[in-house]
Amino acid sequence: MVKRPSNDLALCGECHQEIAANYRKSLHYTTIGQRNRVIKRMSKEEAKIFDEKVFEKSCRSCHASCGDCHVKSPAIAGVSLGLINKHKFVRRDEGKTCAFCHGGRVYPEYTGEYGGNADVHYQKGMMCMDCHTMDELHGDGKAYQLKEEVRDRPRCTDCHEPGREVKLTARVGHLKHAQNASCYACHSAGEYRQCFNCHGGHSEAKPGFYIGTSPRNRREITTLRIIPTVRDTFKPYGIRQANFDALPNYWDAPIHNIRKRTERTRNCDTCHEDRKGFLTMETLLKDSSRVNLELIKKPKPIPVSP
Amino acid sequence: MVNAKRKVMVSLLALLLLLPAAAFAAEPFVTTEWLEANLSKVTVLDVRKVEEYNEGHIPGSINVFYGVWGIKKGVLLNELPSDDDLKDILSAAGIEPTTHVVVVSKAETMPFRTDATRVAWTLRYAGVENVSVLSGGIEKWIADKKPLSKEAVKPKAKPYRGKFNKQFFANKAQVTGALGKAVIVDVRPPEFYKGEKKLDFVPATGRIKGAVNLPPALLYNADGTFKTKAEIEAAAKPVVGTDLDKEIIVYCDTGKVCTNWWLALHDLLGYRNVKVYDGSSMEWLADPAAPKEP
């Protein structure tokens, strides 16, 4: 008896040759994106320790085999949520296939169960695979090192072509902010999961809402999510993170709680006067990375014509 | 003279046009048998999660998840969306003021049962005149071996132009003004009403000063179906009285559960001036200055 037959991609590949071949290189399987993101905080020596003691035994051990998505949920934080549909293979059941792993972030925001506002796409009956493609999940055969390298990820503008808005105010607003604000910055409907205090793997999750400069595109304001790696997160492994300040503690995050109208689309002053939700010196994580300071953005008041 | 005759004729014609609508005032709670027999005449609105709907639903039903109708506003849960958002939701669902909507949710627990009544109240508030809730929810439909479909129905969007019934809604200031005049009905289990218990997200124990108690259990049978009109009336009358014009304000913890009694009092028993206090205990009991007891 083989305990986890689908851990062997070759076995699934007997029938699903292309999918299995691609999947071997996909980010879902290799989880290399997680390693490559955090490793920049470390010296070369520390990176070696990280690979051996943390990545292989922690992140990498949680890679998704075929069965983890199509038969049974993987153990997440020591909790196994069981079979998806008795013991039958499930082609797709996004509420389980995707939500078991993405149930901390994304899925509960999408359904409104976390922050309190369901995404407009969920309202219209759309699930994960209505935007995300099979290639995105199984991989397209290229061994990407980071999620951002994948070109064909869904974009809002794939369906919502700018310039076709019915209302003039919406058209003007989109035109004005096209180069300097992400869609999420205005259309994220509310609070989303933020995790704090990651000392030795422990973290407290609270709903929150943050806007600031994107660490990946300094010209853009967007929604940010706290990445709570603190200076002593990997201390138990002898890693002090020599380059801790090379990365911020906030990453740009495509929040899945989109609504047509939000506080910010209703009133320009929400950002330009009140700066509601914007990252500030006061709200910044204490003793966090110095590069976080670069993410604080102060929108200018809108000039009033004399 | 001719003009007077014409006026009378026009008035009579208008009255005749109104008659079918009045005669068709929907029963607030319908059985699975009734729904099966009337499927082609109504819009079935399934408010379960999209995944649950996709696994099997009443044939022809459309799906708009509960969380779209009852949202979080600040710290308050299960609040009304703003009117323009509500119009968008109705427009996308293709619901018109004249559509007879039957709302279907799960019925295994009180929160699921009242997903349906809260959506029904929201529809009535938005100006949809004929709204019903499926008694016993989807579980009763399945238990009765009625047909299920896995074919998702995409509603045809239509601009919603209903006239909102603002008198169905009460805010905190209105409740304050109604103290001592209206019948304030606490629709929570007796131990909550008595101040012995509270839910975690409610800031304090207690009730609105002068409130009477009409627990939700009095409305339902064990299987989640609604009790008969006679049983409901017998439970309600000693608590709210018999004056059908008296102002009644119902509330619970978040403003969701109490919508079951709103439907029962207003649409079933004919009390004409019933409001839902949307902020409910979450808002009232957070204010030290708001009159409360015990």
Side-chain angles (χ1 to χ4, degrees), chain B residues 111-183:
Chain B
F112 285 128
R113 287 173 199 172
T114 50
D115 280 358
T117 59
R118 170 73 193 204
V119 174
W121 172 77
T122 306
L123 291 166
R124 298 282 284 111
Y125 166 84
V128 182
E129 289 306 314
N130 291 301
V131 181
S132 308
V133 167
L134 178 63
S135 184
I138 193 76
E139 290 92 337
K140 181 79 168 95
W141 182 269
I142 293 166
D144 289 351
K145 300 195 170 21
K146 307 288 184 198
L148 285 170
S149 168
K150 287 194 173 188
E151 198 178 322
V153 178
K154 195 171 184 226
K156 195 176 171 190
K158 293 171 194 161
Y160 181 78
R161 296 198 176 92
K163 187 173 177 290
F164 279 51
N165 293 308
K166 300 275 181 182
Q167 75 276 14
F168 294 167
F169 173 92
N171 61 26
K172 192 175 161 209
Q174 287 168 312
V175 176
T176 306
L179 290 180
K181 298 173 208 159
V183 182

Side-chain angles (χ1 to χ4, degrees), chain A residues 107 111 113 122 260-261 266, chain B residues 49 51 65 82 85 88:
Chain A
Y107 178 79
T111 58
E113 288 160 29
Y122 190 70
K260 184 163 93 177
R261 299 186 194 89
R266 285 179 191 276
Chain B
K49 295 176 77 173
E51 307 89 287
F65 171 53
S82 53
D85 282 338
D88 271 1

Side-chain angles (χ1 to χ4, degrees), chain A residues 62-246:
Chain A
C62 198
H63 71 272
S65 72
C66 306
D68 284 333
C69 294
H70 296 287
V71 183
K72 182 181 184 294
S73 78
I76 303 160
V79 179
S80 175
L81 296 168
L83 295 164
I84 294 171
N85 181 19
K86 296 172 188 165
H87 204 198
K88 295 173 192 162
F89 273 83
V90 174
R91 185 166 175 258
R92 51 186 279 191
D93 182 346
E94 291 108 305
K96 292 172 184 159
T97 302
C98 308
F100 277 158
C101 288
H102 296 278
R105 303 185 311 189
V106 181
Y107 178 79
E109 292 155 6
Y110 189 59
T111 58
E113 288 160 29
Y114 193 71
N117 285 281
D119 193 292
V120 67
H121 304 92
Y122 190 70
Q123 172 193 325
K124 295 187 178 183
M126 291 169 70
M127 288 301 297
C128 315
M129 294 300 285
D130 288 307
C131 292
H132 296 278
T133 63
M134 203 166 81
D135 275 358
E136 216 187 324
L137 308 179
H138 288 152
D140 60 7
K142 291 180 195 162
Y144 294 107
Q145 295 299 301
L146 288 169
K147 182 177 73 175
E148 289 71 26
E149 291 174 3
V150 182
R151 279 195 168 187
D152 292 332
R153 292 190 300 150
R155 292 168 200 279
C156 306
T157 49
D158 292 347
C159 295
H160 304 282
E161 196 183 326
R164 300 189 63 171
E165 302 87 345
V166 177
K167 275 191 167 182
L168 181 65
T169 46
R171 215 177 310 153
V172 171
H174 288 156
L175 195 68
K176 196 84 181 160
H177 294 96
Q179 301 303 319
N180 55 22
S182 72
C183 305
Y184 312 102
C186 293
H187 290 282
S188 171
E191 296 176 322
Y192 42 95
R193 187 177 289 257
Q194 303 286 352
C195 299
F196 301 83
N197 312 328
C198 192
H199 294 265
H202 300 292
S203 195
E204 180 198 2
K206 283 194 287 191
F209 181 86
Y210 293 108
I211 297 181
T213 300
S214 165
R216 270 185 274 265
N217 175 3
R218 297 300 170 101
R219 287 185 309 168
E220 186 182 77
I221 297 171
T222 193
T223 38
L224 301 172
R225 206 190 293 264
I226 291 172
I227 307 299
T229 306
V230 291
R231 291 178 196 276
D232 62 0
T233 293
F234 302 110
K235 201 177 166 187
Y237 306 97
I239 300 169
R240 65 178 188 89
Q241 301 184 85
N243 304 322
F244 181 78
D245 291 303

Side-chain angles (χ1 to χ4, degrees), chain B residues 63-102:
Chain B
N63 174 240
V64 185
F65 171 53
Y66 171 77
V68 173
W69 305 93
I71 64 167
K72 187 180 174 195
K73 278 188 184 168
V75 295
L76 301 180
L77 303 172
N78 293 307
E79 296 297 289
L80 263 179
S82 53
D83 290 357
D84 49 5
D85 282 338
L86 205 44
K87 276 186 185 173
D88 271 1
I89 297 164
L90 288 157
S91 299
I95 293 170
E96 296 178 289
T98 52
T99 310
H100 182 180
V101 182
V102 180

